[in-house]
Short mmCIF file of all heavy atoms in Angstrom, two decimals:
data_model
loop_
_atom_site.label_atom_id
_atom_site.label_comp_id
_atom_site.label_asym_id
_atom_site.label_seq_id
_atom_site.Cartn_x
_atom_site.Cartn_y
_atom_site.Cartn_z
N MET A 23 -2.23 -10.78 -1.78
CA MET A 23 -0.90 -10.42 -1.27
C MET A 23 -0.68 -10.96 0.14
O MET A 23 0.42 -11.43 0.47
CB MET A 23 -0.73 -8.90 -1.27
CG MET A 23 -0.57 -8.31 -2.64
SD MET A 23 -0.49 -6.50 -2.73
CE MET A 23 0.07 -5.97 -1.18
N LEU A 24 -1.70 -10.92 0.95
CA LEU A 24 -1.60 -11.38 2.33
C LEU A 24 -1.24 -12.87 2.38
O LEU A 24 -0.41 -13.28 3.19
CB LEU A 24 -2.93 -11.14 3.06
CG LEU A 24 -3.05 -11.61 4.50
CD1 LEU A 24 -2.14 -10.77 5.39
CD2 LEU A 24 -4.48 -11.52 4.97
N PHE A 25 -1.85 -13.66 1.50
CA PHE A 25 -1.63 -15.10 1.55
C PHE A 25 -0.44 -15.57 0.73
O PHE A 25 0.04 -16.69 0.93
CB PHE A 25 -2.90 -15.83 1.12
CG PHE A 25 -3.99 -15.77 2.16
CD1 PHE A 25 -5.09 -14.95 1.97
CD2 PHE A 25 -3.91 -16.49 3.32
CE1 PHE A 25 -6.09 -14.87 2.92
CE2 PHE A 25 -4.89 -16.41 4.28
CZ PHE A 25 -5.99 -15.60 4.09
N THR A 26 0.04 -14.78 -0.22
CA THR A 26 1.14 -15.25 -1.06
C THR A 26 2.51 -14.73 -0.62
O THR A 26 3.51 -15.39 -0.88
CB THR A 26 0.92 -14.84 -2.53
OG1 THR A 26 0.78 -13.44 -2.62
CG2 THR A 26 -0.31 -15.52 -3.09
N MET A 27 2.57 -13.59 0.03
CA MET A 27 3.85 -13.06 0.48
C MET A 27 4.29 -13.77 1.75
O MET A 27 3.48 -13.96 2.67
CB MET A 27 3.77 -11.56 0.73
CG MET A 27 3.58 -10.74 -0.50
SD MET A 27 3.56 -9.02 -0.06
CE MET A 27 4.35 -8.34 -1.47
N PRO A 28 5.55 -14.15 1.82
CA PRO A 28 6.03 -14.83 3.03
C PRO A 28 6.07 -13.87 4.23
O PRO A 28 6.43 -12.70 4.09
CB PRO A 28 7.44 -15.29 2.65
CG PRO A 28 7.83 -14.48 1.48
CD PRO A 28 6.58 -14.03 0.80
N SER A 29 5.64 -14.38 5.36
CA SER A 29 5.67 -13.59 6.59
C SER A 29 5.75 -14.53 7.79
O SER A 29 5.63 -15.75 7.66
CB SER A 29 4.44 -12.70 6.70
OG SER A 29 3.29 -13.48 6.86
N ASP A 30 5.92 -13.95 8.96
CA ASP A 30 6.02 -14.74 10.18
C ASP A 30 4.66 -15.03 10.81
O ASP A 30 4.58 -15.69 11.84
CB ASP A 30 6.90 -14.01 11.21
CG ASP A 30 8.33 -13.90 10.74
OD1 ASP A 30 8.76 -14.77 9.96
OD2 ASP A 30 9.02 -12.94 11.15
N TYR A 31 3.59 -14.53 10.21
CA TYR A 31 2.25 -14.73 10.76
C TYR A 31 1.76 -16.13 10.46
O TYR A 31 2.06 -16.71 9.41
CB TYR A 31 1.27 -13.71 10.20
CG TYR A 31 1.61 -12.29 10.56
CD1 TYR A 31 2.04 -11.39 9.60
CD2 TYR A 31 1.52 -11.86 11.88
CE1 TYR A 31 2.37 -10.09 9.93
CE2 TYR A 31 1.84 -10.55 12.22
CZ TYR A 31 2.26 -9.68 11.25
OH TYR A 31 2.59 -8.40 11.58
N THR A 32 0.96 -16.68 11.37
CA THR A 32 0.38 -18.00 11.14
C THR A 32 -0.81 -17.88 10.19
O THR A 32 -1.32 -16.79 9.93
CB THR A 32 -0.10 -18.62 12.47
OG1 THR A 32 -1.15 -17.80 12.99
CG2 THR A 32 1.04 -18.71 13.48
N MET A 33 -1.25 -19.01 9.67
CA MET A 33 -2.39 -19.01 8.75
C MET A 33 -3.65 -18.51 9.46
O MET A 33 -4.48 -17.83 8.85
CB MET A 33 -2.60 -20.42 8.19
CG MET A 33 -3.68 -20.49 7.14
SD MET A 33 -3.38 -19.43 5.71
CE MET A 33 -2.13 -20.33 4.86
N THR A 34 -3.80 -18.82 10.73
CA THR A 34 -4.97 -18.36 11.49
C THR A 34 -5.00 -16.84 11.56
O THR A 34 -6.06 -16.23 11.40
CB THR A 34 -4.93 -18.95 12.91
OG1 THR A 34 -4.81 -20.37 12.83
CG2 THR A 34 -6.18 -18.58 13.68
N GLU A 35 -3.86 -16.23 11.78
CA GLU A 35 -3.80 -14.76 11.84
C GLU A 35 -4.10 -14.14 10.48
O GLU A 35 -4.79 -13.12 10.40
CB GLU A 35 -2.42 -14.31 12.32
CG GLU A 35 -2.15 -14.66 13.76
CD GLU A 35 -0.72 -14.37 14.18
OE1 GLU A 35 0.18 -14.49 13.33
OE2 GLU A 35 -0.52 -14.03 15.36
N LYS A 36 -3.64 -14.78 9.43
CA LYS A 36 -3.92 -14.28 8.08
C LYS A 36 -5.41 -14.39 7.76
O LYS A 36 -6.00 -13.46 7.19
CB LYS A 36 -3.11 -15.04 7.05
CG LYS A 36 -1.63 -14.75 7.11
CD LYS A 36 -0.88 -15.56 6.06
CE LYS A 36 0.59 -15.31 6.11
NZ LYS A 36 1.32 -16.06 5.06
N ILE A 37 -6.02 -15.51 8.12
CA ILE A 37 -7.45 -15.69 7.87
C ILE A 37 -8.26 -14.67 8.66
O ILE A 37 -9.21 -14.08 8.15
CB ILE A 37 -7.88 -17.14 8.19
CG1 ILE A 37 -7.26 -18.09 7.16
CG2 ILE A 37 -9.39 -17.28 8.21
CD1 ILE A 37 -7.43 -19.56 7.51
N PHE A 38 -7.89 -14.47 9.93
CA PHE A 38 -8.59 -13.48 10.75
C PHE A 38 -8.47 -12.08 10.14
O PHE A 38 -9.45 -11.33 10.10
CB PHE A 38 -8.03 -13.48 12.18
CG PHE A 38 -8.63 -12.41 13.03
CD1 PHE A 38 -9.92 -12.55 13.54
CD2 PHE A 38 -7.94 -11.24 13.31
CE1 PHE A 38 -10.50 -11.56 14.32
CE2 PHE A 38 -8.51 -10.25 14.08
CZ PHE A 38 -9.78 -10.41 14.59
N THR A 39 -7.30 -11.74 9.66
CA THR A 39 -7.09 -10.43 9.04
C THR A 39 -7.96 -10.27 7.80
O THR A 39 -8.58 -9.22 7.59
CB THR A 39 -5.60 -10.24 8.67
OG1 THR A 39 -4.82 -10.39 9.85
CG2 THR A 39 -5.36 -8.89 8.06
N ALA A 40 -8.03 -11.31 6.97
CA ALA A 40 -8.84 -11.25 5.76
C ALA A 40 -10.32 -11.10 6.10
O ALA A 40 -11.04 -10.30 5.49
CB ALA A 40 -8.61 -12.49 4.91
N ILE A 41 -10.79 -11.85 7.09
CA ILE A 41 -12.21 -11.78 7.47
C ILE A 41 -12.53 -10.42 8.09
O ILE A 41 -13.55 -9.80 7.75
CB ILE A 41 -12.57 -12.93 8.43
CG1 ILE A 41 -12.52 -14.25 7.68
CG2 ILE A 41 -13.94 -12.72 9.07
CD1 ILE A 41 -12.67 -15.48 8.56
#
Side-chain angles (χ1 to χ4, degrees):
M23 287 175 25
L24 177 69
F25 288 106
T26 58
M27 291 182 145
S29 67
D30 294 333
Y31 297 111
T32 64
M33 185 58 75
T34 306
E35 292 172 328
K36 290 179 181 182
I37 291 171
F38 175 76
T39 302
I41 291 172

